[in-house]
Amino acid sequence: MNDPIIYIVSDSVGETAELVTKAALSQFSGPHAVIKRFPYVEDSSHIDEVVSLAKEDQGIVVYTLVKPEIRRYMVQAAEAENIKVFDLIGPLMDQLESMYSMEPLFEPGLVRRLDEEYFKKVDAIEFAVKYDDGRDPRGLLKADIILIGVSRTSKTPLSQFLAHKRVKVANVPIVPEVDPPEELFSVPKEKCIGLKIRPDKLNQIRRERLISLGLDDNASYADLERINKELTYFEDITDRIGCDVIDVTNKAVEETANIIMSMYRSRKST
């Protein structure tokens, strides 16, 4: 006896239907089946073709079709040819529709799109970690956005926040004693965003940071003269690049991130 044939039919790629079918088959030791996948089935002619093949091979059809009219046609066509079919998603969608009292979107492939968005987010988060604090200047050439600022201007938390919006962000610390990487001046200026802050506010933030670390809050790191020197150098760098600058003095990370996203979307649309 030849192995039975199971036709996997989907209006997307068919991965879900095939996975569930294989999970069911795994519960039967010994018997084998041939699985044939038919993806992107969205009209009656495709269904007719599958049903005809299933009839010829004495196979069965397992399907995930989200559009009601296509699901109905599948049932009708299979019944006409006495073919066994199994709807993996329709009954659950009907139950959810009743539970939520709302109509489904009936858009094929949404799960795959959601998966792709998830992996884009993970990729952006890993990017932000890898190219945080100027660790590898090569990241500047790959970044969607480059944040520039002195220490304690929220470069890292902003990079992570934006990464959750699937934006690849690198950031560069500005220190008078260290020349910025040359890559910073070779990327389009529109990618770069400077983060400036009022000296007295930065002095307060740095002093609190030193205290939290158990250090002397009179260290040069929080010295106002030193801070002014850093901010002047920062302005020299951003002027040289010609990039936009955001004042983050009294802004929450979320507020600054929203401004950056608005600038980013505007740049992408032009």
Side-chain angles (χ1 to χ4, degrees):
M1 177 182 176
N2 294 330
D3 291 335
I5 298 177
I6 301 175
Y7 288 89
I8 304 295
V9 179
S10 174
D11 45 23
S12 184
V13 294
E15 289 178 343
T16 300
E18 183 170 345
L19 182 62
V20 173
T21 300
K22 286 181 175 178
L25 285 169
S26 70
Q27 298 302 310
F28 299 88
S29 59
H32 298 280
V34 176
I35 293 178
K36 296 184 178 182
R37 193 197 301 185
F38 281 72
Y40 305 112
V41 172
E42 295 187 348
D43 59 49
S44 57
S45 64
H46 290 151
I47 290 176
D48 289 339
E49 179 185 356
V50 174
V51 169
S52 176
L53 289 170
K55 181 181 180 181
E56 182 179 338
D57 297 327
Q58 296 182 327
I60 65 174
V61 178
V62 178
Y63 64 95
T64 51
L65 301 168
V66 299
K67 294 182 179 179
E69 64 274 16
I70 300 299
R71 285 161 52 196
R72 285 193 296 268
Y73 189 85
M74 171 63 83
V75 173
Q76 293 166 2
E79 285 180 349
E81 299 295 345
N82 198 29
I83 301 298
K84 289 184 173 62
V85 294
F86 297 88
D87 184 353
L88 291 180
I89 196 171
L92 179 56
M93 284 177 58
D94 293 341
Q95 288 294 321
L96 293 174
E97 181 177 2
S98 175
M99 183 171 70
Y100 291 122
S101 298
M102 62 186 296
E103 189 176 79
L105 296 172
F106 300 126
E107 294 182 24
L110 288 181
V111 168
R112 188 170 180 82
R113 270 181 264 171
L114 288 172
D115 286 345
E116 288 173 355
E117 291 301 303
Y118 170 77
F119 287 115
K120 285 180 182 177
K121 181 190 294 187
V122 171
D123 192 29
I125 292 171
E126 291 177 346
F127 187 93
V129 171
K130 183 175 182 179
Y131 299 111
D132 182 47
D133 210 30
R135 288 176 185 167
D136 186 347
R138 292 173 298 181
L140 303 182
L141 304 176
K142 307 173 187 176
D144 298 317
I145 294 173
I146 302 167
L147 301 180
I148 307 163
V150 301
S151 176
R152 311 311 295 177
T153 49
S154 299
K155 297 185 300 298
T156 295
L158 276 169
S159 297
Q160 286 293 328
F161 191 97
L162 293 167
H164 280 80
K165 296 181 180 291
R166 299 174 297 282
V167 180
K168 292 183 178 180
V169 184
N171 68 74
V172 179
I174 299 300
V175 183
E177 293 78 14
V178 180
D179 291 333
E182 284 302 316
E183 289 85 349
L184 186 60
F185 305 102
S186 63
V187 298
K189 66 178 182 179
E190 293 79 14
K191 279 190 176 186
C192 302
I193 298 176
L195 305 174
K196 72 177 183 179
I197 189 170
R198 208 171 59 230
D200 61 307
K201 181 67 174 180
L202 184 56
N203 172 257
Q204 175 190 343
I205 292 171
R206 288 188 175 183
R207 289 181 62 188
E208 291 173 355
R209 176 61 174 167
L210 289 169
I211 292 172
S212 72
L213 295 173
L215 302 174
D216 184 0
D217 65 343
N218 289 318
S220 61
Y221 178 68
D223 180 72
L224 197 54
E225 183 177 344
R226 165 68 187 185
I227 286 172
N228 279 314
K229 180 181 178 181
E230 289 185 31
L231 293 175
T232 298
Y233 183 63
F234 161 79
E235 290 178 359
D236 291 342
I237 297 299
T238 54
D239 286 346
R240 179 179 167 188
I241 296 170
C243 63
D244 290 318
V245 175
I246 300 173
D247 190 336
V248 301
T249 301
N250 292 309
K251 290 183 175 66
V253 168
E254 294 85 351
E255 185 180 358
T256 304
N258 287 335
I259 294 172
I260 293 172
M261 282 302 299
S262 178
M263 296 164 67
Y264 175 64
R265 293 191 187 104
S266 177
R267 172 167 64 83
K268 285 189 69 177
S269 64
T270 56

